[in-house]
Amino acid sequence: MLPNFIILGSQKAGTTSTYEVFKLHPEIFMPAKKELNYFFHQAEYAKGTKYYQNYFTAAQANAIAVGEASPGYICHPEAPRRIHRLLPEAKLIVTVRNPIARAYSQFWDNRRSLSESLSFPEVIEQALEPTYQPGRLGYFSRGTYMQYIQRYLDLFPAENLLVLPFEDLQDDPQGFYRKCFEFLGVDPDFTCPEMSQAANPAAVWDNSLYRWFFEHPHRARWLPAKLRRFTFWGKRVPYQYPPMDAESKARLVDFYQPWNQRLGEFLERNLSTWNE
């Protein structure tokens, strides 16, 4: 058993919510683990096809669509060829989000996990590059969507690729999922309460040790990953991160404008609000 569809990403663009809803559809099978990253991490890919197949052995006979969701696949340079080699007829789903909001969300996600010690302007100085490279910070390179979409179009027929803006999930979740279900050939009328719920809302731990490191990120950089986890305890409370500074916003608007224009032309959709 191998998947016949993959959610390619993008990161911080609703893939967790989509994965959770897909798991509930009676005609869709998703593995218990999200982000298998088989086609992303070389160590995983080296384990071979039989290893990958094991994630899908529990699929029921009535599962019309069998898939997985690994949002790193959209931008990894080797992923398109690896996927096509094993799954040449797979259907592919991509969600795209305003790349400025996406980058800022990823930044604060890393801040909340105590794995980012730099300020956002410092991150821009270090990581503002157009093309994703494994092993490098991908805050901004992950948002130049059209070059990655083209890599898949060079290998897969256009009818096998569904690209949906994240705003559609926010504004009309039932319409968003109906498009996905129709694309996968499963019952498009399926609904569930989870369609209107954010599956991965921003939250922080409410304990004094975590708060101290969260408020002093330059100190958290010295914490090994295993020790960071010892601060993740207690109640989790919602967190609203502060607005982006105007200079960073203006710089990113200029950086993404040509990429957003290309994507808008491909989708035949006005994405001008992404440049505001």
Side-chain angles (χ1 to χ4, degrees):
M1 177 66 72
L2 284 169
N4 54 24
F5 81 91
I6 294 179
I7 300 173
L8 301 175
S10 305
Q11 191 182 57
K12 309 305 295 182
T15 56
T16 299
S17 296
T18 305
Y19 164 79
E20 294 294 341
V21 169
F22 279 21
K23 281 202 304 182
L24 299 174
H25 195 294
E27 296 175 337
I28 298 177
F29 173 82
M30 303 290 283
K33 177 184 177 182
K34 179 180 176 277
E35 299 190 32
L36 303 184
N37 285 323
Y38 174 72
F39 300 103
F40 186 93
H41 290 309
Q42 178 59 34
E44 290 292 299
Y45 189 66
K47 294 177 182 178
T49 303
K50 289 185 178 180
Y51 165 79
Y52 185 56
Q53 284 178 308
N54 288 334
Y55 284 111
F56 307 97
T57 55
Q60 300 297 315
N62 65 336
I64 296 173
V66 176
E68 62 132 320
S70 296
Y73 291 166
I74 181 60
C75 58
H76 192 283
E78 297 298 323
R81 288 190 294 272
R82 289 173 174 177
I83 293 172
H84 186 262
R85 190 177 300 126
L86 184 62
L87 310 169
E89 298 180 359
K91 291 186 175 182
L92 310 170
I93 297 176
V94 178
T95 54
V96 290
R97 180 181 182 181
N98 178 332
I100 299 175
R102 196 221 65 80
Y104 203 50
S105 178
Q106 183 185 358
F107 168 79
W108 278 102
D109 192 46
N110 288 345
R111 275 289 312 276
R112 289 186 293 110
S113 67
L114 305 183
S115 59
E116 178 55 78
S117 61
L118 300 177
S119 68
F120 194 67
E122 288 172 333
V123 164
I124 291 178
E125 288 300 322
Q126 288 197 12
L128 191 61
E129 54 189 7
T131 303
Y132 177 82
Q133 299 293 333
R136 295 177 61 86
L137 284 176
Y139 288 129
F140 311 108
S141 59
R142 288 177 182 268
T144 54
Y145 304 114
M146 198 57 221
Q147 63 175 317
Y148 310 126
I149 291 171
Q150 188 59 55
R151 289 177 182 172
Y152 282 94
L153 290 173
D154 290 342
L155 297 169
F156 293 87
E159 59 267 24
N160 281 35
L161 185 68
L162 177 67
V163 182
L164 295 173
F166 177 67
E167 289 84 354
D168 289 2
L169 175 59
Q170 293 178 307
D171 299 339
D172 181 17
Q174 288 197 4
F176 173 92
Y177 286 112
R178 172 173 281 275
K179 289 178 182 178
C180 291
F181 297 155
E182 289 175 345
F183 177 67
L184 296 177
V186 298
D187 180 8
D189 296 321
F190 172 80
T191 61
C192 61
E194 287 79 2
M195 285 181 170
S196 301
Q197 300 171 5
N200 192 23
V204 294
W205 281 266
D206 191 18
N207 69 73
S208 57
L209 179 62
Y210 171 85
R211 284 283 187 176
W212 190 85
F213 281 112
F214 179 67
E215 292 165 5
H216 300 85
H218 59 290
R219 301 289 177 85
R221 68 183 298 182
W222 303 111
L223 272 177
K226 290 183 178 179
L227 290 182
R228 283 185 216 133
R229 298 191 190 102
F230 283 105
T231 71
F232 300 164
W233 55 269
K235 182 181 178 182
R236 295 190 73 195
V237 295
Y239 180 75
Q240 181 67 47
Y241 43 77
M244 188 184 303
D245 67 281
E247 184 177 347
S248 294
K249 180 69 175 292
R251 189 170 178 184
L252 293 179
V253 166
D254 288 342
F255 175 76
Y256 282 120
Q257 193 279 329
W259 296 103
N260 294 343
Q261 181 175 344
R262 285 180 58 188
L263 180 63
E265 291 170 355
F266 171 74
L267 295 176
E268 298 182 345
R269 183 157 174 165
N270 184 359
L271 300 176
S272 60
T273 56
W274 286 9
N275 299 321
E276 294 175 358

